[in-house]
Amino acid sequence: MGWRLIAKKGANLSEIIPGSHIGNIEDYHRHRYKQGIPEGVKDLPPGVALPLESNLAYMNGISFTKGCYIGQELTARTYHMGVIRKRLLPVHFSTPLPKDGIPEGAEILTESGKSAGKFRAGGGELGIALLRLANINEPLCLNIAGDKVKLTASIPEWWPKPASK
């Protein structure tokens, strides 16, 4: 995800982290949307977002060797069964999103009109959505003010690769 740095005023950041550049908050959000990284209650609604669907295990945000936390039994059982049907994924829209945004939880549909998941957050032509893994290679769309906006989902490169059989 890059670096967050607290430095003395006037410090030369390229000396501290060679090859780095200073970005603004929009750069940061674009980068995390491209990587499929959730942040805060908009991306991880309390009582709705599940840790494994939100990729927290991939980011070392869940311990399977210690307890106790709310939802630990369900999370551990799901993890050990190995069946996770939905995940937060980066999405790319065919056209930039409206400036006033899209309602959180807006339904994402397959070409045939079947529900494929829910929009969580985004800006410009990028965002993140909770999608059924079975639908991520299909043409998807989001209904925005009566218009169908096409989108594509992708699996981030940083995700663990499936084991070869």
Side-chain angles (χ1 to χ4, degrees):
M1 267 302 290
W3 297 81
R4 290 186 185 188
L5 182 66
I6 299 173
K8 291 181 181 177
K9 189 174 184 176
N12 185 344
L13 301 180
S14 61
E15 285 180 9
I16 299 170
I17 305 171
S20 66
H21 74 278
I22 298 174
N24 60 29
I25 192 70
E26 288 82 21
D27 294 334
Y28 167 74
H29 286 298
R30 286 183 57 78
H31 182 65
R32 74 179 186 84
Y33 292 149
K34 284 180 187 177
Q35 301 300 321
I37 305 290
E39 176 182 271
V41 296
K42 185 174 181 180
D43 300 350
L44 302 167
V48 175
L50 297 176
L52 294 174
E53 291 179 347
S54 302
N55 307 318
L56 297 184
Y58 288 172
M59 296 182 275
N60 297 314
I62 301 171
S63 173
F64 295 102
T65 59
K66 69 175 186 112
C68 292
Y69 54 88
I70 296 173
Q72 175 188 6
E73 291 178 15
L74 173 64
T75 301
R77 183 171 54 246
T78 304
Y79 175 77
H80 291 294
M81 301 245 338
V83 180
I84 300 165
R85 291 183 171 81
K86 297 181 283 183
R87 287 209 180 259
L88 267 184
L89 292 163
V91 291
H92 186 273
F93 293 92
S94 59
T95 181
L97 299 175
K99 292 286 183 206
D100 53 353
I102 298 172
E104 295 168 32
E107 193 165 30
I108 294 174
L109 305 169
T110 63
E111 209 170 39
S112 64
K114 184 176 144 190
S115 176
K118 304 240 182 253
F119 174 79
R120 285 283 173 82
E125 72 284 354
L126 300 172
I128 56 175
L130 182 67
L131 296 172
R132 285 181 183 80
L133 294 174
N135 301 122
I136 65 170
N137 293 319
E138 296 180 43
L140 301 172
C141 67
L142 185 62
N143 196 346
I144 301 174
D147 293 327
K148 285 187 176 180
V149 176
K150 293 181 180 183
L151 64 106
T152 55
S154 60
I155 293 178
E157 289 186 20
W158 62 268
W159 277 20
K161 305 295 182 245
S164 302
K165 292 185 179 183

